[in-house]
Amino acid sequence: PRRTFQELLFNGCILFGIEFSYAMETAYVTPVLLQMGLPDQFYSLVWFISPILGFLVQPLIGAWSDRCTSRFGRRRPFIFALALGALLGLSLVLNGRDIGGVLADTASNHKWGIVLTVCGVVLMDFSADSADNPSHAYMMDVCSPEDQDRGLNIHALLAGLGGGFGYVVGGINWDQTRFGKSMGGQLRVIYVFTSITLAITTAMTLLSIPERPLPKSQTQGEAACRPAGESQDAEALQPQQSDTQAHGASQATGGRAGEWEEKNGDLQSAESQMSMKLLCIAIYRMPPSLRSLCTNHFLGWLSFEGMLLFYTDFMGEVVYEGDPKAPHDSEAYQRYNAGVSMGCWGMCIYAFSAAFYSAILEKLEERFSLRTLYFFAYLAFGLGTGLTTLSTNIYVVLSLCVTYGVLFSSLCTLPYSLLCEYYQSPQLSSIHFCGSSEEGTRRGMGVDISLLSCQYFLAQILVSVAMGPLTSLVGGAQGVMYFSSLMSFVGCLYSSLCVVYQL
């Protein structure tokens, strides 16, 4: 059935909560760790552990969710578990210094505070990023193809709004307010706002659209390889039918699924068993169109993550010429803190521009090709980050944040729209994306969304390894912006020449 705007809005609410939380993390983790005394050469490696876990575990999460037979559905149990992980990680990130002080830390030695904060970053980052995969798959499962583009745009819109409001909360100097003083300071206020927001938005998503559980007798191939939304639609038409009758209704409402089953037959029980070997085969035999899309997605996140993770530090050190390791009563330290706060407002501009661009993206897709929209997003971001390094005027630097929102919205929407088109294509879906029963490589939507999401983790790994030496070589955080601009221009060329758009 067609979904209402309210259903799609509630379904994507968890993206609001995740991006709200992630805004707090990206704005405060690096400054907090540097102020606790973490050496410069290690602060980029803080972001290294989480993407390693995500890169290794994300495809497994996608495959497990494709096969999950919980009575709550295939995707919702994973969304709930990852949201809990994000909340626990957030608690450690924003309270690690205080907990360390209770344990054994002194004013000059924050060993436990650093360890707890780093553990919180790993858990928060992994859980928040991994939650994107089941959230997108949940929407695609319960929506018809006609609603999927609208659902993706609403997801990106809510993600932009969540980040925007998160940076607004982070940009307010709560230490100067009565509420902030009563709560115990800036980080305590941020923790209260963020934990409440994440809990409420997760509950709204989980209760948004009923998700029919996968019958234990149904194979992963039958459910995962149907065009997205088809299985849910067919079962919703005849809720009282037996499994066999519901299967027949699904064939009647989706010709492509029926054709695929006629060609390939039923899976043998041995083939339907989840194994690391079959998952690795599915990844290794990735369709060429998906491989090009993943590479393009990787270039986009590589350019974006470099900017995002170090933007507030760039504002504090380069634009405001501050020093995070100066004495706390010094002018250089105060300038750095002022730069971090102003960086939050810059990120707020980027997030709201992402929300606005997401709101109009559906109309733009009607007027322009996906190739054109991809090219424009990369070009705008490359120019924005490049020009930022050439000016220290605060108004110029802040206005260029609008270009960051264009790329973020595009990365959250366009790749998944293309993937849906691949699955809905009779030529590609039955041959490349569902695989062959003889090869034992039937693919699932959850697995392929995970492969797209893995590009984010892979990009973050490279950023974590490279940014520390790069900033040391260049002599400041402006090296990160140079790198981001260069990678974005490479993405311009690749998206135009290599990505498959016409099926």
Side-chain angles (χ1 to χ4, degrees):
R2 296 298 300 270
R3 298 300 178 185
T4 65
F5 175 78
Q6 180 178 335
E7 286 179 319
L8 293 175
L9 185 69
F10 281 20
N11 182 261
C13 275
I14 190 171
L15 275 300
F16 183 97
I18 287 173
E19 289 302 321
F20 191 99
S21 307
Y22 198 63
M24 298 298 99
E25 184 190 35
T26 55
Y28 281 95
V29 164
T30 299
V32 164
L33 286 173
L34 291 178
Q35 290 169 6
M36 281 194 288
L38 185 72
D40 282 341
Q41 61 268 33
F42 294 121
Y43 79 112
S44 67
L45 295 179
V46 169
W47 305 99
F48 182 74
I49 304 173
S50 168
I52 288 286
L53 289 175
F55 186 72
L56 296 175
V57 177
Q58 183 77 272
L60 287 175
I61 292 178
W64 289 334
S65 72
D66 278 338
R67 299 178 51 82
C68 179
T69 56
S70 167
R71 64 188 181 92
F72 298 107
R74 288 194 291 170
R75 317 298 183 184
R76 288 189 293 180
F78 291 89
I79 294 174
F80 178 71
L82 292 169
L84 282 181
L87 185 59
L88 177 59
L90 184 72
S91 302
L92 292 176
V93 168
L94 297 179
N95 299 289
R97 185 169 186 169
D98 293 337
I99 298 173
V102 172
L103 294 177
D105 286 352
T106 63
S108 59
N109 185 352
H110 297 283
K111 177 180 66 175
W112 285 106
I114 291 175
V115 170
L116 291 172
T117 302
V118 170
C119 290
V121 170
V122 172
L123 182 57
M124 164 70 194
D125 209 37
F126 169 76
S127 300
D129 294 331
S130 297
D132 276 351
N133 168 34
S135 299
H136 286 312
Y138 177 25
M139 186 274 295
M140 293 178 183
D141 283 348
V142 298
C143 290
S144 63
E146 293 81 6
D147 287 327
Q148 286 169 0
D149 282 344
R150 188 162 60 124
L152 287 171
N153 288 331
I154 291 175
H155 276 206
L157 170 66
L158 290 170
L161 289 175
F165 283 110
Y167 287 117
V168 167
V169 172
I172 296 174
N173 188 354
W174 294 102
D175 289 332
Q176 303 300 318
T177 65
R178 181 179 301 176
F179 178 69
K181 292 177 181 177
S182 66
M183 292 298 297
Q186 181 86 1
L187 295 183
R188 293 282 181 84
V189 174
I190 290 172
Y191 173 68
V192 170
F193 275 111
T194 309
S195 57
I196 292 175
T197 300
L198 183 58
I200 292 175
T201 54
T202 300
M204 292 173 70
T205 292
L206 295 176
L207 300 174
S208 61
I209 302 176
E211 186 186 13
R212 296 184 66 86
L214 183 69
K216 293 188 183 340
S217 59
Q218 186 171 343
T219 64
Q220 181 259 357
E222 291 172 356
C225 293
R226 290 187 183 127
E230 203 167 85
S231 176
Q232 292 277 341
D233 293 346
E235 291 174 350
L237 289 174
Q238 300 290 340
Q240 304 299 324
Q241 290 178 327
S242 65
D243 289 347
T244 304
Q245 290 170 320
H247 178 66
S250 178
Q251 288 182 320
T253 56
R256 288 193 295 273
E259 292 173 6
W260 179 86
E261 289 178 19
E262 289 176 5
K263 290 180 181 179
N264 294 286
D266 296 327
L267 275 180
Q268 300 298 322
S269 59
E271 291 173 337
S272 66
Q273 295 297 317
M274 174 52 55
S275 72
M276 194 65 186
K277 176 183 177 182
L278 293 184
L279 182 60
C280 290
I281 292 174
I283 296 173
Y284 176 74
R285 295 178 178 174
M286 189 187 303
S289 54
L290 180 60
R291 183 176 292 111
S292 298
L293 182 60
C294 285
T295 303
N296 188 59
H297 202 49
F298 167 73
L299 291 172
W301 280 119
L302 185 62
S303 57
F304 187 82
E305 279 300 301
M307 178 281 302
L308 183 66
L309 296 181
F310 298 97
Y311 184 79
T312 53
D313 184 51
F314 169 80
M315 290 289 286
E317 288 194 43
V318 178
V319 179
Y320 275 71
E321 299 179 343
D323 183 0
K325 297 187 176 180
H328 287 200
D329 57 350
S330 66
E331 183 181 352
Y333 184 82
Q334 298 301 324
R335 286 201 305 268
Y336 180 81
N337 279 340
V340 170
S341 296
M342 188 57 68
C344 287
W345 290 110
M347 291 291 92
C348 175
I349 294 173
Y350 124 72
F352 281 122
S353 71
F356 174 77
Y357 190 73
S358 300
I360 65 172
L361 190 55
E362 187 174 3
K363 297 296 183 183
L364 292 177
E365 289 178 13
E366 297 174 0
R367 296 177 60 91
F368 302 100
S369 66
L370 291 179
R371 187 193 303 272
T372 302
L373 294 174
Y374 247 138
F375 181 85
F376 172 72
Y378 282 117
L379 180 63
F381 184 83
L383 292 175
T385 49
L387 293 174
T388 296
T389 62
L390 302 178
S391 174
T392 56
N393 183 288
I394 187 62
Y395 299 106
V396 173
V397 173
L398 290 178
S399 63
L400 290 171
C401 291
V402 173
T403 62
Y404 309 159
V406 173
L407 181 61
F408 176 78
S409 176
S410 300
L411 291 175
C412 290
T413 306
L414 300 183
Y416 301 99
S417 294
L418 272 176
L419 183 62
C420 285
E421 290 187 14
Y422 295 164
Y423 265 85
Q424 291 160 19
S425 168
Q427 296 91 345
L428 290 180
S429 178
S430 61
I431 299 174
H432 296 296
F433 282 86
C434 288
S436 165
S437 59
E438 294 178 359
E439 297 170 345
T441 59
R442 290 179 184 245
R443 312 186 67 83
M445 177 71 79
V447 173
D448 287 337
I449 291 177
S450 295
L451 294 180
L452 272 179
S453 300
C454 276
Q455 308 315 308
Y456 166 84
F457 292 114
L458 189 59
Q460 197 172 347
I461 292 171
L462 186 56
V463 166
S464 301
V465 172
M467 289 305 103
L470 181 61
T471 53
S472 299
L473 179 65
V474 175
Q478 64 266 35
V480 177
M481 307 302 277
Y482 296 145
F483 176 82
S484 295
S485 182
L486 176 62
M487 289 298 101
S488 188
F489 287 127
V490 173
C492 269
L493 296 176
Y494 194 90
S495 65
S496 299
L497 302 177
C498 302
V499 176
V500 177
Y501 298 96
Q502 300 297 327
L503 303 178

